[in-house]
Amino acid sequence: SKISNVQEVVTHWVDTLPVTNDEEAAPYAYSFLAQLIDQQNPAVMSQAAKAFTFIAQALEAETLQGQTATRIVGAAKHLVTAAGLNANQLLATLPPETQHTVRAFFG
């Protein structure tokens, strides 16, 4: 059967994040999130601050490694720009160790 409201499903899917305790599922979840960001999916863009925070939490939890981490960091940079977010302001709401980790990824 066909999904009648894809955006509603995506909105609810974003609410299942962050994936921080499942090293097997995290790469798939965040690769999909990166794809949605690249497509400027309305459901993700309307929750841009939440998505950015979830990405930061996953990076801090070290569930994202290698190419997946690089891919999602690139998508997060795009998200910040496209949604007009203030990354420093968002990071300020997170624990200092998370801020440090995320800043290291973002260079």
Side-chain angles (χ1 to χ4, degrees), residues 2-3 18-19 54 68-69 76 89 95-96 102:
K2 192 169 179 164
I3 297 171
V19 177
F54 291 157
T68 304
Q89 198 172 42
V102 172

Side-chain angles (χ1 to χ4, degrees), residues 51-102:
F52 180 86
T53 300
F54 291 157
I55 292 166
Q57 291 168 336
L59 291 169
E60 171 61 23
E62 298 181 351
T63 51
L64 301 175
Q65 304 283 325
Q67 288 182 318
T68 304
T70 302
R71 170 91 169 89
I72 195 63
V73 167
K77 288 178 181 178
H78 176 75
L79 179 67
V80 166
T81 303
L85 298 176
N86 182 330
N88 289 322
Q89 198 172 42
L90 291 171
L91 286 173
T93 66
L94 300 171
E97 60 274 5
T98 303
Q99 292 179 38
H100 178 75
T101 300
V102 172

Side-chain angles (χ1 to χ4, degrees), residues 18-30 58 61-64:
V19 177
T20 56
N21 295 316
D22 189 338
E23 289 81 13
E24 291 181 28
Y28 297 103
Y30 288 97
E62 298 181 351
T63 51
L64 301 175

